Amino acid sequence: MPILTGTPTETDVLITGGGTGGVAAALAACRAGRSVVLTEETDWIGGQFTSQAVPPDEHPWVEQFGVTASYRALREGIRSHYRQWYPLRAEALGLPRLNPGAGRVSKLCHEPRVALAVMEAMLAPHVAAGRLTVLTHTRPVAADTDGDLVRAVTVEDIRDGARHTVAAAYVLDATETGELLELAGVEHALGAEARSEHDEPHAPDTADPLNQQGITVCFALSHHEGEDHTVDRPADYGFWRSYRPDFWPGPLLGFRAPDPRSLEAVNRTFEPNPDVDPLDVDADQSADAGDKELWGFRRILARRLHRPGAFDSDITLVNWPLNDYWLKPLVGAGEETGRQALAGARELSRSVLYWLQTDPTPTDGGTGSPGLRLRPDVTGTADGFAKAAYVRESRRIKAVTTVTEHDVAIDLVGPYGGTRHRDSVGVGGYRIDLHPSTGGDNYIDIGSVPFEIPLGALVPRRVRNLLPAGKNLGTTHITNGCYRLHPVEWNVGEVAGALAAHCLEEGVSPHQVQENDKRLAEFTRVLDRAGVQRHWPDVRGY
């Protein structure tokens, strides 16, 4: 087996997974002066923001409060990038709350490469100082454990199979599927818990580890009237063209789909490059989900925000009901099934594109839209599809504190309710939003309240030096639906990185910090100084 060279053999903090939470964890640990090794399976750090090409899903108050200071710095860095380098028209250039894509899913829709540039800039001083080593194309393949400790992790370069073992005082799992939990034998949950376990009203009667939210391979499109960019017919197009799920109001490849919140059949529209001023778009998930007009839903570049002639098309991101894949689970059914799930999700997205280009649609008189063009320059890939699938659900640690539906569902706690945690280390806000699942569930989309993130949800019940740094904290299948979004994942990662550094500095364990009021107060002062908001003002759930 070839040996991966140029990698430290020891570090204070090893972070496996360079996605949203992994980047935040690295920043926090490096700010505290700790040495960090950060691995990432693709060649882009950033996860949901970048390699998965998912514009940020955020709560309605994001411009005022409800995120950490470093997350706000990321958002403002993205806006500054557009102001400095893009030919914005004067009215857009002066907007303090510039939404570059004028998408309706978020108040900040943007291209993946811009988020990548800003994140790399945020990490750059720590790389230059020698505190941070970033290993792309690298994934964990084995863990060396000793009782309740993880001593080291072996990582592999996926390009040539070269391997290297890194010993670390603290190991953070920021992978998209919580794969280090499996490798290190950390007790964890997967898929849906039975209703009897936590008495959650929306949990199924029977536990099913293979009942997981669908994954999505996103892709970027522009539209060029009079041109033909039709892709080759996908091999499985016949299957997808005729596929009609039992709980769907028509074929999956169609503009009629359930409304996630009501499950009523709703017609979507699709109009490339609409002649509407993007400055008139107001993204507010609490008032309008924004998903009924697909082109504008996740638009990431709005041509009319820029000087005339600068761009001949908008760019939109396809992450729609049409290309959620749920026929096979990604995790827990074996590597081959996982590979088949990824391949199936990619083939579904290709089929959605081909269908848009060739089949009758309500908006073009029945001729398809051959002018739709894949944008590999946007996704950083040869084929124009995202580098990695958007994974909504991970393995989740069996934690000291498990967040359940009783903590966050608006129907259970009331619009001003929600659990107040003595050990809150952050906040989040989003509906409990579960997409159709591999177990045959339709959308489960439940009103929720602004919530606090308990430190106990980041502390495994047994293992002493491994921390979750993403969607793999102590939630359930149900509450993962509101804990999986960009700002929450960033917050969790930032706290995990800060906690590892703090424990090293003070010679204590995460369990001691969480259990002891004095030690907890010392750590939360660290978070307060870093600008981690731990409690909400008086706001109403939706």
Side-chain angles (χ1 to χ4, degrees), residues 278-476:
L279 292 180
D280 293 334
V281 172
D282 180 26
D284 184 350
Q285 286 281 311
S286 65
D288 178 7
D291 60 346
K292 305 305 183 289
E293 196 288 294
L294 295 174
W295 182 268
F297 181 36
R298 298 185 187 271
R299 182 171 51 182
I300 56 176
L301 186 142
R303 73 195 189 287
R304 292 192 60 191
L305 279 184
H306 301 274
R307 293 195 290 270
F311 300 98
D312 61 354
S313 175
D314 298 341
I315 302 174
T316 195
L317 208 289
V318 179
N319 176 13
W320 303 341
L322 285 68
N323 63 325
D324 279 358
Y325 175 89
W326 56 72
L327 295 190
K328 292 180 183 292
L330 178 65
V331 182
E335 290 187 8
E336 180 58 29
T337 299
R339 282 192 291 268
Q340 291 172 358
L342 289 171
R346 190 167 292 273
E347 187 73 355
L348 170 56
S349 286
R350 287 195 188 96
S351 296
V352 169
L353 172 60
Y354 184 76
W355 177 77
L356 289 169
Q357 291 173 325
T358 63
D359 270 21
T361 69
T363 57
D364 63 9
T367 61
S369 301
L372 292 170
R373 179 161 70 91
L374 276 171
R375 296 299 299 263
D377 55 317
V378 172
T379 56
T381 57
D383 62 3
F385 295 88
K387 293 175 180 288
Y390 176 27
V391 179
R392 297 179 174 88
E393 186 171 350
S394 172
R395 298 176 179 90
R396 306 177 297 279
I397 65 164
K398 292 287 189 178
V400 168
T401 303
T402 301
V403 178
T404 75
E405 191 176 346
H406 296 279
D407 296 314
V408 295
I410 196 169
D411 288 345
L412 299 180
V413 302
Y416 298 102
T419 300
R420 304 295 187 258
H421 296 281
R422 60 168 279 279
D423 60 344
S424 176
V425 291
V427 296
Y430 208 76
R431 289 177 65 87
I432 299 175
D433 173 15
L434 279 73
H435 284 231
S437 73
T438 54
D441 296 331
N442 202 338
Y443 290 98
I444 300 174
D445 195 306
I446 311 161
S448 67
V449 294
F451 53 83
E452 296 178 351
I453 304 168
L455 180 60
L458 276 73
V459 179
R461 294 176 185 172
R462 177 181 61 84
V463 178
R464 315 304 290 181
N465 71 331
L466 182 146
L467 298 170
K471 295 185 287 286
N472 53 346
L473 76 165
T475 62
T476 65

Side-chain angles (χ1 to χ4, degrees), residues 190-194 203-204 206-212 393 396 441 477:
L190 177 63
E193 295 92 344
T206 304
D208 184 358
L210 300 184
N211 186 6
Q212 303 159 22
E393 186 171 350
R396 306 177 297 279
D441 296 331
H477 173 70

Side-chain angles (χ1 to χ4, degrees), residues 220-240:
L221 289 177
S222 53
H223 184 261
H224 308 271
E225 193 64 44
E227 300 179 12
D228 188 348
H229 297 282
T230 305
V231 298
D232 293 338
R233 178 185 168 103
D236 290 343
Y237 180 70
F239 169 80
W240 289 116

Side-chain angles (χ1 to χ4, degrees), residues 99-169:
N99 187 348
R104 295 186 182 277
V105 72
S106 169
K107 298 178 187 296
L108 185 68
C109 292
H110 53 82
E111 299 156 88
R113 281 187 182 276
V114 176
L116 175 66
V118 176
M119 288 186 186
E120 289 182 334
M122 294 172 80
L123 293 177
H126 304 295
V127 174
R131 284 186 295 273
L132 175 62
T133 301
V134 180
L135 302 175
T136 58
H137 303 101
T138 302
R139 66 186 183 96
V141 293
D144 178 15
T145 63
D146 180 7
D148 295 339
L149 296 174
V150 180
R151 297 295 188 187
V153 176
T154 299
V155 297
E156 179 183 78
D157 189 316
I158 62 173
R159 295 167 296 188
D160 60 10
R163 292 190 172 187
H164 191 89
T165 298
V166 182

Side-chain angles (χ1 to χ4, degrees), residues 12-13 34 169-170 499-508:
D12 291 334
V13 182
R34 291 297 164 179
Y170 277 86
L499 180 60
H502 178 76
C503 288
L504 286 170
E505 178 69 21
E506 300 297 325
V508 295

